[in-house]
Amino acid sequence: DYVVAVVNQQENLLVFGQKTIETWYDAGTVNFPFQRVDGGTIERGCAAAQSPLKEDNSVFFLGDDRIFYRLDGTIPRRISTHAIEDAGQLYTSVSDCTTFSYTFEGHKNLVVNFPSANATWVHDLSTGMWRERDSWDSHNNSYGRWRGSCVANVYNKVLVGDYYSGQIGYLDDTVFTEFGNTGQALMVSPIIAEDRKRVFISRFELDIEQGVGNTVDPGSDPQIMLDHSDDGGRTFSRPQTGNSMGKLGEYRKRLRWLRQGQARNRIYRVTIADPVRRTIIAAHADLTVGM
């Protein structure tokens, strides 16, 4: 099969093809120094030439079956989830997929960009969790993907190249905008259900870091917006219901929404658009199952 990429991994040369991955080593022979390792061929191809990435003493890549793998020796271990794989099957093309990694606040993050599909997925190697990342323009319209297209670790900073404007920014845990534009945080809960019976919800509450408001607007009285879906996440309620995260110094603020009605299955969605610290610790609900 055609070769799409090569990676130097632990003094071996991994040759990524469209259908297989071969391991070669430096045999020191005169005419051609490399020889293929007998029995070292991996029956899994690479779907994108720029997807193989070295991180955490291993190699990651997008397989020809549109599943993302971590290569442990000669064994490809699946690390993507069914939800991400279902989304990837709908992409018209994945051959332009690119990857890069960065470490921030102790977390190693593997970023997978799909430019033609306008999508970005991020894998946290520390927790094994995936998340979708998006950016917004000055009119609060979604770009569909994260603006970051590459990173460099220099000057004790993680510099980020912006695919949209060509600017270079850096990651900062005290700034909650991207190149001056709104940075939204969106979290969706698992389904709340019990054997197709009606579930009555008298209280929904969030444990967060309170009192994170700014001294001036925007964000002097930051809001968490809550809405919900009773049809499996296909549609969500409108309008959203806001609740204050606490002005600066309001450290005893309690975020709860009462009289949440009933449903056979309920999904909650939380949105934070104010440029403040977003630390959600836990979620609670008072539930009663109908007869």
Side-chain angles (χ1 to χ4, degrees):
D1 51 343
Y2 289 107
V3 173
V4 297
V6 292
V7 174
N8 175 18
Q9 170 69 351
Q10 297 174 342
E11 298 186 358
N12 288 316
L13 189 66
L14 298 178
V15 181
F16 288 81
Q18 292 176 322
K19 298 297 180 182
T20 62
I21 303 171
E22 296 179 352
T23 303
W24 291 62
Y25 70 100
D26 185 358
T29 51
V30 177
N31 294 327
F32 187 71
F34 292 103
Q35 288 190 10
R36 185 171 58 186
V37 176
D38 292 335
T41 299
I42 303 169
E43 299 295 332
R44 175 57 60 204
C46 180
Q50 298 185 67
S51 69
L53 174 69
K54 292 181 61 175
E55 184 57 80
D56 201 26
N57 202 33
S58 190
V59 178
F60 300 83
F61 69 100
L62 180 65
D64 57 344
D65 54 357
R66 300 196 179 192
I67 293 176
F68 215 82
Y69 291 96
R70 176 176 185 152
L71 200 58
D72 290 338
T74 58
I75 301 175
R77 307 285 188 186
R78 170 181 172 269
I79 63 169
S80 54
T81 65
H82 292 305
I84 294 174
E85 292 156 10
D86 286 344
Q89 294 299 327
L90 299 177
Y91 297 161
T92 303
S93 174
V94 297
S95 61
D96 58 350
C97 170
T98 62
T99 62
F100 62 87
S101 64
Y102 66 91
T103 302
F104 190 65
E105 295 184 331
H107 291 261
K108 291 181 180 293
N109 295 277
L110 174 62
V111 181
V112 185
N113 276 322
F114 295 92
S116 61
N118 218 28
T120 299
W121 297 92
V122 182
H123 180 56
D124 188 333
L125 298 182
S126 304
T127 64
M129 301 286 289
W130 285 87
R131 65 185 184 274
E132 189 174 6
R133 188 147 189 179
D134 196 354
S135 294
W136 303 76
D137 64 17
S138 57
H139 302 289
N140 287 334
N141 297 314
S142 169
Y143 283 117
R145 56 162 286 185
W146 187 30
R147 295 176 65 164
S149 61
C150 57
V151 297
N153 294 283
V154 292
Y155 312 121
N156 294 320
K157 297 181 182 295
V158 180
L159 301 187
V160 181
D162 178 20
Y163 91 94
Y164 179 73
S165 66
Q167 299 179 84
I168 297 176
Y170 62 90
L171 299 182
D172 188 331
D173 62 0
T174 65
V175 177
F176 304 97
T177 57
E178 288 187 339
F179 299 101
N181 294 342
T182 298
Q184 291 195 20
L186 186 146
M187 289 141 283
V188 181
S189 77
I191 294 178
I192 299 173
E194 179 62 36
D195 196 27
R196 297 298 296 168
K197 296 178 181 178
R198 292 192 180 276
V199 178
F200 297 85
I201 307 169
S202 59
R203 176 186 65 96
F204 179 79
E205 185 166 353
L206 289 176
D207 285 344
I208 68 164
E209 180 182 358
Q210 307 104 320
V212 294
N214 297 323
T215 55
V216 296
D217 281 324
S220 62
D221 187 14
Q223 302 288 306
I224 282 187
M225 310 301 289
L226 177 74
D227 58 2
H228 66 267
S229 171
D230 293 338
D231 56 9
R234 294 173 177 82
T235 60
F236 281 82
S237 63
R238 290 292 187 269
Q240 292 182 326
T241 304
N243 210 334
S244 175
M245 299 171 64
K247 297 179 181 180
L248 184 64
E250 291 184 344
Y251 301 124
R252 301 178 66 180
K253 198 74 175 179
R254 188 174 179 183
L255 272 82
R256 58 177 181 170
W257 292 262
L258 304 178
R259 299 178 181 178
Q260 289 294 294
Q262 53 80 28
R264 296 190 189 278
N265 65 79
R266 171 67 58 88
I267 296 175
Y268 280 107
R269 182 172 64 179
V270 171
T271 305
I272 306 172
D274 286 306
V276 297
R277 182 179 297 280
R278 300 97 179 252
T279 306
I280 294 182
I281 302 167
H284 310 272
D286 289 338
L287 311 174
T288 303
V289 180
M291 299 298 293

